[in-house]
Amino acid sequence: MASTVKPTNFLVKIKEEHVIGNQRTVNENFYRIPNVTNLDRRIVTVPNTTSVDLINTNGLTPGAGLFPSSSVKYGRITNMDDSASLAVTFSSSEGADSTRRVWTMDVLPTSSLMFSGVGVSGSEFLGSFSQDIEFISVFAISASVDVEYVIVNA
C-alpha cells in the first residue's frame, strides 16, 4: 500500500518581547523543518514525586512514545503547571568509553525546553556528537504536573 501522507513543512516561531521602562524590544526567530512525515503531540499528567518515561529514541521502528533517533528533527517539552517545577532527565547512548551519560534540567512552571536533534556529547565537545539522546523522562518534584511534548520527525 502506498502512503497517501505527503511530507510537509513544520515551522517553529519563537517570539521574545521585552519592555523595560519605555524601551520595547521584539525578537523573532523561525526554525523550518522540511519533509516532515510524522508529528506527535501529547499531554501527560505526571503524578507527584513520580518519574514517567516520556520519550524513547532508541529504536528503528516508530511506536507509542518511540521515535527513531535518525529522524527526530525537533522536540519540545513544556511544563504546563503554573506553580510546580518539573525535572527533565536525558539519558544518552553509550559513548566511546561504554558509559551512558545522564543529565537533568529544571523546567520551571509554564516554561519549555526545546531541542533540534538528538546528537549530544557526554563530556567535553571534541568536534562531533558521539552520542544520541536515547531516553527522556520527567519527574514531578512537588505536585502533579501536566506536561506537553511535541516530537517532529522528517
Side-chain angles (χ1 to χ4, degrees):
M1 175 180 118
S3 176
T4 59
V5 177
K6 303 283 187 228
T8 60
N9 294 319
F10 185 86
L11 175 67
V12 178
K13 176 183 175 181
I14 300 171
K15 182 177 181 178
E16 300 169 338
E17 185 173 343
H18 316 190
V19 179
I20 299 175
N22 293 329
Q23 183 70 30
R24 180 175 180 250
T25 304
V26 177
N27 183 39
E28 290 185 348
N29 288 292
F30 298 91
Y31 178 54
R32 291 173 178 81
I33 306 166
N35 302 313
V36 172
T37 55
N38 186 16
L39 167 86
D40 191 56
R41 177 186 173 269
R42 185 173 172 203
I43 296 174
V44 177
T45 299
V46 181
N48 185 26
T49 64
T50 301
S51 182
V52 171
D53 295 332
L54 195 65
I55 299 167
N56 178 341
T57 65
N58 184 25
L60 301 175
T61 308
L66 178 62
F67 310 95
S69 64
S70 61
S71 66
V72 174
K73 303 301 179 201
Y74 172 77
R76 175 178 55 80
I77 300 169
T78 298
N79 178 352
M80 299 179 74
D81 197 272
D82 61 3
S83 61
S85 286
L86 177 73
V88 178
T89 299
F90 296 87
S91 303
S92 74
S93 57
E94 290 184 359
D97 61 357
S98 299
T99 302
R100 291 184 187 277
R101 306 289 187 218
V102 176
W103 64 102
T104 302
M105 298 180 71
D106 185 10
V107 179
L108 300 175
T110 71
S111 68
S112 296
L113 177 77
M114 295 178 283
F115 52 95
S116 59
V118 296
V120 296
S121 175
S123 59
E124 181 182 356
F125 182 70
L126 299 174
S128 67
F129 296 105
S130 58
Q131 296 168 279
D132 286 337
I133 296 170
E134 284 191 346
F135 303 101
I136 301 173
S137 61
V138 292
F139 184 88
I141 298 171
S142 62
S144 293
V145 174
D146 289 332
V147 177
E148 177 185 49
Y149 77 77
V150 174
I151 296 289
V152 174
N153 299 85

